[in-house]
Amino acid sequence: MGGDFGPHCIVPASIACLAEIPSLHLVLVGQPSLLNELIAQHAGVDRARLHVEPASEVIGMDERPAQALRGKPDSSMRVALELVRDGRAHACVSAGNTGALMALSRFVLKTLPGIDRPAMVTAIPTQEGACHLLDLGANVDCSAEHLYQFAVMGAVAAEVLGLQSPRVALLNVGTEEVKGNQQVKLAASLLQGASGLNYIGFVEGDGLFRGEADVVVCDGFVGNVLLKSSEGLAAMIGARLDARFRRSLFSRLVGFLAMPLLRRLRSELAPAQYNGASFLGLQGIVVKSHGAAGPQGFGSAIRRACIEVEQDLPRRLRGRLEAMLLQ
């Protein structure tokens, strides 16, 4: 029920994913009358794999997490998380209020042993492919121990998505050991002594986009600013290119000739392709879709959840955490 477009985006995305993934079963949580009406607009839906779970309340995008936690026990977000807790679903995917989703996830699902705070991670495009960045805003203020935990979780998440021995780095204002604030320096000393982790040191923002690391760790304030800035920069470059190609007849001709290349580049860098931030450190799988994502983007978040279910991400995280954090 959440996000900028609510079920008008989520229902078609869900139906498309059901057609794409034969083993997938989905539960849509929210207002049954609206959900069933939207489902009925699509022909050939396999209702045996698409269930509607009623929830009488909806958490607004601007509501405070504490209000959502205490004041709406039958919200669609809470009911969805309780389905995961009770074993009726393997994962929860939501486009709703991020703060409320994090608060409810911690309350309903609890964190894994050794984890103080869950972290949000997503893949962002680089020259070499993609980099996994965390935290994206769940934890604005972080200690060195929190950054260390994020690094371990980020490495496991990258391995689940197919990377062998991912290169882990701390985002910093320079690559020299003397640079950075106290938390980053202390986190570096912790990571240098961690066995089983391919820690490569500090990386700057431009190095991140060059693909110098597979996992980049920072606090949620820095990560969120970096993510939103990169999204804005990509949109600005796209708008500038479109404007340039429309300036004259010659530029229109050049734009026409370059169109196949530009379309391919736009497809490779499209935010929808990378949509879906995982909440790492919980005793269950939760994926947060961007609130402004359309059906294609929400489908990417569903597919990310499917991969984490198939790879049993919480179990793998628990095993690595026991080996590295609970020694």
Side-chain angles (χ1 to χ4, degrees), residues 288-312:
K288 172 66 174 70
S289 168
H290 198 300
Q296 183 183 358
F298 196 84
S300 295
I302 294 175
R303 285 188 287 273
R304 184 180 182 105
C306 288
I307 293 172
E308 294 182 6
V309 170
E310 292 167 356
Q311 297 293 328
D312 199 357

Side-chain angles (χ1 to χ4, degrees), residues 209 225-240:
F209 289 104
V225 170
L226 174 61
L227 181 66
K228 298 292 175 60
S229 298
S230 63
E231 290 174 350
L233 177 62
M236 183 272 289
I237 292 173
R240 285 284 187 94

